[in-house]
Amino acid sequence: MRRVAITERGDWRAQAGACGFDFHTIGGAPYWDETAYYAFTLRQIEDDLEDPSAELHAMALDLVDEVLRDEAKLKQLAIAQPYWQWIADSWQQRQPHLYGRLDLAYDGNGPAKLYELNYDTPTSLFEAAFFQWQWLEDQRAARRLPAHADQFNSLHEALVARFGQIAPELKHPLKFAAVRGSNEDQGTVAYLRDCAAQAGLHGELIALEDLGLSEDGRFTDLDDLVIGTLFKLYPLEDLFGEAFGQALPASGLQLLEPPWKAVLSNKGILPLLWQRHRGHPNLLPAHFDDGSALQPGWVRKPLHSREGANVALHLADGSWQESQGPYTGPCIIQAAHPLTAFDGRYPLIGCWVIGESACGIGIREDDSRITGDSARFVPHAIIDDAPGVLYA
């Protein structure tokens, strides 16, 4: 694994605009960054990322039934009690799921370590599935990458196939929803809607703010038509705290991702995984926080924090790093395994699971060991050449 400087495509911004990737720059700062790429060997991808991600996914799924049968564990995860039965019913019915992202620390050496699961509202999908593949093809054509350069990326095909698989299990009509003012979220749901359409599953976009509730407690669109299935790019735990969320259990609405993903999108799954699989090479020791002082060599994370917010990192040398944010409430502690710096930047690898298969990666790098919402997306390539022979 290496970080390699490479010449940008001269027209990449025009290409981004043409395909709706209008969040390539956020707040005046670059989000998409193709001035470099990360090079991997095929062995690193297959043995250190793909296979372990598939195994970790299966391990996580094996825990869902156990958690939903144990009130003590549901309380540890701080899942609101009025939703327990609704969540359990969605699991018993095996309501279909689409995708998830495992965030991994990996520098090319030793086993990748699981930081967390993003299994309810993962983003960075469009850029991982589509735009970095376009980058690869263009750079091969420009001979800045060798013709045999490849990518761990079958995401688009897998998404289309997965929508085709789950289509018979979804209620109609189908809607795709995100917050109106978020270009990134809107771009993600627009891409997923396109993937669904390619599988013959057609649904319309709707802003979350435009969802309505009928007198008999069913969710509706702007035409007062009842929605059968809603893909919502919005945290389920946040919905639980809102007036509309209280109507979910009795509404008959099918969610994609399903309610049982509330178990896996919660950082409390990390200590539960450690309890079940103590010593697993891809897991970091993790425990529920008891409120005591954070010791050197440990990280504290709120159960529901996102985008690196409210993380406290106490390194083994005694130094501290903390991020700000809006998240409070119960936390976990996890053994510190700091990201490795490449040219002063810290890459975090997101491995995507579509259905039950690991299908590709996306890399976000930050100037900090805590990957925040200002992290940049950097493409990758698989290049099996002699040591030291890389293209730029």
Side-chain angles (χ1 to χ4, degrees):
M1 178 179 172
R2 308 183 188 187
R3 190 180 193 275
V4 185
I6 191 170
T7 302
E8 294 180 287
R9 297 169 293 167
D11 65 342
W12 76 260
R13 289 173 181 82
Q15 289 194 45
C19 65
F21 186 19
D22 58 359
F23 54 95
H24 60 75
T25 301
I26 300 175
Y31 166 60
W32 171 266
D33 182 0
E34 61 174 68
T35 61
Y37 70 96
Y38 283 88
F40 296 85
T41 66
L42 184 61
R43 186 209 62 78
Q44 288 174 327
I45 292 292
E46 291 183 342
D47 296 348
D48 293 349
L49 296 174
E50 182 179 10
D51 290 347
S53 293
E55 182 179 1
L56 289 167
H57 171 72
M59 287 160 51
L61 285 183
D62 282 345
L63 272 176
V64 176
D65 192 71
E66 177 182 325
V67 171
L68 292 176
R69 293 177 182 273
D70 189 332
E71 290 189 5
K73 287 185 171 62
L74 289 166
K75 290 177 181 177
Q76 281 185 311
L77 299 183
I79 295 175
Q81 191 275 335
Y83 300 93
W84 289 357
Q85 190 59 52
W86 177 62
I87 293 170
D89 288 345
S90 74
W91 175 250
Q92 293 302 321
Q93 296 163 13
R94 295 300 190 268
Q95 291 181 9
H97 65 109
L98 179 64
Y99 70 153
R101 193 188 75 228
L102 301 89
D103 283 346
L104 304 167
Y106 180 70
D107 62 5
N109 300 294
K113 298 294 187 180
L114 177 67
Y115 268 16
E116 60 190 52
L117 301 173
N118 293 274
Y119 267 36
D120 182 28
T121 59
T123 55
S124 76
L125 178 63
F126 170 80
E127 47 273 39
F130 180 81
F131 206 66
Q132 74 165 339
W133 182 260
Q134 191 175 64
W135 166 86
L136 178 76
E137 291 186 322
D138 289 347
Q139 295 290 40
R140 286 188 306 205
R143 297 191 175 183
R144 299 189 188 105
L145 291 176
H148 66 269
D150 203 354
Q151 204 170 78
F152 179 31
N153 188 359
S154 59
L155 289 168
H156 184 82
E157 297 82 0
L159 283 165
V160 173
R162 182 61 178 167
F163 272 117
Q165 290 169 356
I166 67 177
E169 302 177 62
L170 301 182
K171 298 178 182 179
H172 294 277
L174 168 66
K175 300 286 184 180
F176 291 84
V179 173
R180 178 181 284 109
S182 172
N183 287 342
E184 181 180 6
D185 289 1
Q186 288 289 339
T188 299
V189 296
Y191 173 64
L192 285 168
R193 175 178 177 257
D194 181 64
C195 291
Q198 292 182 42
L201 184 60
H202 298 282
E204 298 301 319
L205 296 173
I206 186 171
L208 275 165
E209 296 88 340
D210 291 335
L211 291 174
L213 197 62
S214 67
E215 290 184 359
D216 60 354
R218 294 185 293 174
F219 284 85
T220 59
D221 62 15
L222 286 172
D223 295 320
D224 292 327
L225 297 175
V226 172
I227 300 169
T229 300
L230 181 70
F231 177 93
K232 52 100 196 104
L233 198 62
Y234 192 76
L236 193 55
E237 66 270 12
D238 289 350
L239 278 177
F240 290 166
E242 299 175 4
F244 271 12
Q246 296 171 22
L248 282 169
S251 68
L253 179 70
Q254 182 176 7
L255 289 181
L256 195 62
E257 295 295 283
W260 57 262
K261 280 291 189 80
V263 174
L264 299 182
S265 62
N266 185 307
K267 290 181 180 59
I269 200 69
L270 299 169
L272 296 180
L273 279 168
W274 182 251
Q275 290 170 18
R276 175 76 75 85
H277 303 281
R278 187 177 299 270
H280 190 284
N282 299 115
L283 293 177
L284 293 167
H287 311 284
F288 288 97
D289 185 25
D290 62 6
S292 59
L294 186 64
Q295 298 300 309
W298 290 86
V299 182
R300 178 179 284 122
K301 304 176 181 179
L303 294 184
H304 295 125
S305 70
R306 294 169 186 267
E307 297 182 323
N310 299 101
V311 172
L313 172 61
H314 195 178
L315 294 176
D317 63 7
S319 61
W320 277 83
Q321 187 173 348
E322 295 186 62
S323 58
Q324 302 302 308
Y327 299 99
T328 58
C331 297
I332 63 136
I333 59 169
Q334 185 182 54
H337 184 85
L339 296 173
T340 300
F342 287 74
D343 299 333
R345 299 168 178 87
Y346 298 92
L348 181 69
I349 298 177
C351 190
W352 291 91
V353 173
I354 311 298
E356 314 308 334
S357 301
C359 297
I361 60 171
I363 301 173
R364 292 169 297 143
E365 63 173 24
D366 208 319
D367 299 328
S368 162
R369 285 191 174 94
I370 299 176
T371 307
D373 59 1
S374 61
R376 299 167 295 274
F377 190 102
V378 179
H380 79 278
I382 301 172
I383 303 178
D384 275 325
D385 280 321
V389 181
L390 291 172
Y391 293 72

